[in-house]
Each structure stands twice: as structure tokens, then as C-alpha cells.
């Protein structure tokens, strides 16, 4: 199935959400096979990164933010549970 969409790209901070609008095609959430579920989602930020916290708060984004001194830039992480067990992936 061909998927068509339009989206916005935020500037500056890479973990700020973007907006996606599905065109005439169905959203993959309606047609994807089952079997796995998202169990947690969080943002990891370098120690002292207040810009990311400020921007997410200004947008009203309710997400866990974890300090990660080893990171140079913010990153998104998601944990999934499925038939083969649990897995955490960077996004």
C-alpha cells in the first residue's frame, strides 16, 4: 500500500514533536499487524540541557525526561513488549 502524508519539521531541538497529516491513504496504525505494544517512551538529554526541557514544557508535551551525561544531543527512546520479549530502541 502506498502511503502519502505531509508533515512539519520543528527547528532547533530534534526531540520536539512534529505534526503529520495523512492524505487519502489510511494511517499505518489502522492497518499494521498486531503483536507488539509500546510500553514506555522517554527523552534522554545531556546533563544541563534546559533548552529541550523548556521547549517540551512550552508545547505541553507530557513525557519523561532523563538526564544522560554520556549524550551529546537529546535522543528519544521507546520500550516495546512483544512475543519475543521486551526491547528498548533509540528512535
Amino acid at each position: 500500500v502506498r502511503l502519502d502524508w505531509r508533515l512539519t519539521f520543528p527547528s532547533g531541538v530534534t526531540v520536539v514533536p512534529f505534526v503529520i497529516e495523512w492524505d487519502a491513504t489510511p494511517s499505518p496504525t489502522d492497518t499494521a499487524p498486531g503483536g507488539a505494544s509500546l510500553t514506555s517512551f522517554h527523552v534522554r538529554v545531556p546533563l544541563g540541557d534546559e533548552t529541550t526541557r523548556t521547549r517540551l514544557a512550552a508545547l505541553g508535551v507530557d513525557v519523561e525526561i532523563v538526564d544522560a551525561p554520556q549524550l551529546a544531543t537529546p535522543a528519544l527512546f521507546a520500550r516495546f513488549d512483544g512475543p519475543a520479549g521486551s526491547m528498548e530502541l533509540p528512535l
Side-chain angles (χ1 to χ4, degrees), residues 40-42 44 76-80 86-91:
S40 69
F41 182 83
H42 67 274
R44 294 183 190 170
L76 302 173
F77 286 82
R79 178 165 296 280
F80 298 91
S86 182
M87 174 183 291
E88 184 174 83
L89 300 171
L91 304 174

Side-chain angles (χ1 to χ4, degrees), residues 4 7 11-12 15 20-21 31 37-38 40 45 53 63 68-69 72-73 82 84 91:
D4 294 307
L7 57 97
S11 62
V15 296
I20 187 167
E21 177 183 20
T31 59
S37 60
L38 176 66
S40 69
V45 297
R53 293 175 193 277
V63 66
T73 59
L91 304 174

Side-chain angles (χ1 to χ4, degrees), residues 3 22 26-34:
L3 300 175
W22 293 101
S27 165
T29 58
D30 297 331
T31 59

Side-chain angles (χ1 to χ4, degrees), residues 36-90:
S37 60
L38 176 66
T39 58
S40 69
F41 182 83
H42 67 274
V43 177
R44 294 183 190 170
V45 297
L47 203 54
D49 179 350
E50 293 304 317
T51 301
T52 299
R53 293 175 193 277
T54 300
R55 289 188 181 176
L56 291 172
L59 291 170
V61 175
D62 182 20
V63 66
E64 179 183 9
I65 300 175
V66 177
D67 287 324
Q70 73 279 13
L71 292 181
T73 59
L76 302 173
F77 286 82
R79 178 165 296 280
F80 298 91
D81 284 342
S86 182
M87 174 183 291
E88 184 174 83
L89 300 171

